[in-house]
Amino acid sequence: TYPPRPVNGYLVCGFMAPGVDYEFTYPASLGAEIKRAVPNYRIGTAPSYIKSLYLKELHNTVQVVGAASINLLKQIDWDLAFIVFKETDEVQHSFFDRPGDVLGLYRRVDKIVGEFLKLAGDDAYVFVVSDHGGEPINKRFNAAEFLRMSGFISLKTSNGRQSASPLQLAASALFGLRLEWLLDIPGSRKLMGEIMKARVRSLRKSAKPDQGFYAGQVDWPKTTAFISSGIGLRINLKGREPQGFV
């Protein structure tokens, strides 16, 4: 749902939106109304490697989304309302081995749905649905590394050896030494976000392609496809990409 686009009604963007400091509603004035009614409103929950903190934040997100939804249902003369709680997905992925914690979050959502039912009235049709099932996450897939191993991304070499980018070195140190908890230090994620935004601005000014996970190491004349930060898989197409090859 991001960026917000004109609809016959009102739209509040979901988890792909960068945050409430950006335009996240249609009309734009709706965003100010939501932040006035629910000052701590936010979009999504930042994952935490400290499970107790993550669970608490999931509950907080459910609460603010529910409060904002109830406020809008009361203020707007609506015919159709579509409300999403993504946290029921996240809690199952991260707490599948702690059913009590999963149930606790579902009970919070259920209580809010009860408020929705009261506002909808007896003559409304109400559907509670899920877009997919849930199961634990035991592995993660690095698409950029897959492209490199498959020969779609070619890296520059130094003395016959591939060099690691600063981003790779930082990631290896962070997770290899089990220091991922550092990401939970207040302000650390915001700092990382500012660094990434500064990098994007720098790339735009220099007209260089987004090198993503292998920043500074991509051999573009030999690269067929790559992962672009915030966009996904892209073909290194002539006439579109700065150093198009395909």
Side-chain angles (χ1 to χ4, degrees), residues 22-234:
Y22 300 80
E23 189 173 310
F24 68 101
T25 64
Y26 176 84
S29 59
L30 181 63
E33 166 61 22
I34 290 174
K35 289 192 285 186
R36 183 200 62 77
V38 187
N40 57 340
Y41 183 80
R42 65 189 184 198
I43 299 172
T45 306
S48 171
Y49 291 95
I50 301 175
K51 282 207 164 187
S52 59
L53 174 61
Y54 187 29
L55 184 62
K56 179 181 177 181
E57 291 304 304
L58 288 173
H59 277 268
N60 289 340
T61 301
V62 166
Q63 200 63 34
V64 297
V65 170
S69 301
I70 290 170
N71 178 69
L72 293 178
L73 290 174
K74 290 179 177 179
Q75 300 297 326
I76 296 172
D77 183 17
W78 54 275
D79 296 309
L80 170 69
F82 191 101
I83 302 166
V84 177
F85 288 100
K86 183 173 177 289
E87 292 67 37
T88 53
D89 170 280
E90 295 181 47
V91 75
Q92 291 205 50
H93 281 303
S94 299
F95 297 91
F96 63 92
D97 56 341
R98 294 161 59 171
D101 290 335
V102 174
L103 185 58
L105 189 91
Y106 268 72
R107 283 174 172 157
R108 182 177 293 275
V109 173
D110 185 66
K111 183 177 179 180
I112 295 172
V113 170
E115 295 298 315
F116 294 163
L117 291 174
K118 293 177 184 177
L119 291 169
D122 295 335
D123 60 343
Y125 291 98
V126 179
F127 298 87
V128 179
V129 299
S130 174
D131 63 332
H132 63 77
E135 61 181 30
I137 297 176
N138 296 315
K139 296 181 180 180
R140 294 186 182 274
F141 178 71
N142 187 321
E145 182 66 5
F146 171 78
L147 291 177
R148 184 195 67 78
M149 294 174 63
S150 302
F152 294 104
I153 291 179
S154 179
L155 302 183
K156 299 173 184 177
T157 59
S158 178
N159 297 325
R161 297 178 61 187
Q162 291 179 339
S163 303
S165 71
L167 185 59
Q168 284 178 280
L169 292 174
S172 296
L174 192 66
F175 295 100
L177 297 176
R178 306 298 297 172
L179 297 176
E180 56 265 31
W181 56 268
L182 291 172
L183 297 175
D184 291 317
I185 296 176
S188 63
R189 295 174 188 270
K190 184 176 181 180
L191 175 61
M192 290 178 64
E194 292 301 322
I195 291 173
M196 292 302 295
K197 283 191 285 187
R199 174 172 167 265
V200 170
R201 288 194 294 267
S202 176
L203 286 171
R204 286 175 178 170
K205 289 180 180 179
S206 63
K208 291 181 179 179
D210 182 354
Q211 300 179 35
F213 191 74
Y214 296 109
Q217 305 303 313
V218 178
D219 188 356
W220 289 105
K222 299 179 181 178
T223 291
T224 303
F226 62 99
I227 301 296
S228 177
S229 300
I231 298 177
L233 177 66
R234 290 181 70 84

